[in-house]
Amino acid sequence: MLKDKENLEKLMAVVLRNQLADQLRTYLRTLEQLEQEKQEISSAIKETMEEAKREGLDVKTIRRIVKLRKQGRDCFEEEESTLNTYLTALGMR
């Protein structure tokens, strides 16, 4: 009877280990796929910026506009107001 209990515990340990391995493989496949997609998106962004630069646009300004649009209008206006206040204080406006 003790032997059966030991065998059952060993079997359960193997089953749990296999379940964990399957779970990990699933997450790893998903993460690897997302990393690949992220790389493709980064390449597309880089190509788009290079194209804008070839067209004579200022890429640094485009990046700033993208950042500001993400923030939302209220946050943008607050940041712009603070920037203007600081520039005025420094005599730069």
Side-chain angles (χ1 to χ4, degrees), residues 23-35:
Q23 187 179 24
L24 287 168
R25 282 188 200 97
T26 299
Y27 281 114
L28 289 170
R29 274 193 296 270
T30 301
L31 290 168
E32 289 167 346
Q33 180 181 349
L34 290 170
E35 285 293 332

Side-chain angles (χ1 to χ4, degrees), residues 11-23:
L11 180 60
M12 291 295 288
V14 169
V15 168
L16 289 174
R17 206 168 28 249
N18 287 341
Q19 287 176 343
L20 176 60
D22 288 344
Q23 187 179 24

Side-chain angles (χ1 to χ4, degrees), residues 4-91:
D4 288 341
K5 186 176 179 182
E6 289 175 2
N7 286 338
L8 183 59
E9 287 175 355
K10 286 180 184 178
L11 180 60
M12 291 295 288
V14 169
V15 168
L16 289 174
R17 206 168 28 249
N18 287 341
Q19 287 176 343
L20 176 60
D22 288 344
Q23 187 179 24
L24 287 168
R25 282 188 200 97
T26 299
Y27 281 114
L28 289 170
R29 274 193 296 270
T30 301
L31 290 168
E32 289 167 346
Q33 180 181 349
L34 290 170
E35 285 293 332
Q36 178 63 34
E37 291 173 15
K38 184 169 85 171
Q39 180 61 39
E40 291 169 5
I41 290 170
S42 292
S43 293
I45 290 170
K46 182 179 178 186
E47 290 172 16
T48 302
M49 288 300 190
E50 288 172 354
E51 183 179 339
K53 188 174 183 178
R54 283 192 303 273
E55 297 276 332
L57 298 171
D58 183 1
V59 174
K60 186 176 177 180
T61 302
I62 291 173
R63 288 187 193 280
R64 182 158 186 235
I65 292 170
V66 169
K67 178 185 169 199
L68 292 172
R69 288 173 60 132
K70 272 194 238 179
Q71 290 177 346
R73 186 167 198 83
D74 292 340
C75 189
F76 162 74
E77 288 174 354
E78 182 181 330
E79 184 178 307
E80 193 70 18
S81 175
T82 303
L83 177 63
N84 285 330
T85 300
Y86 289 1
L87 291 174
T88 301
L90 294 169

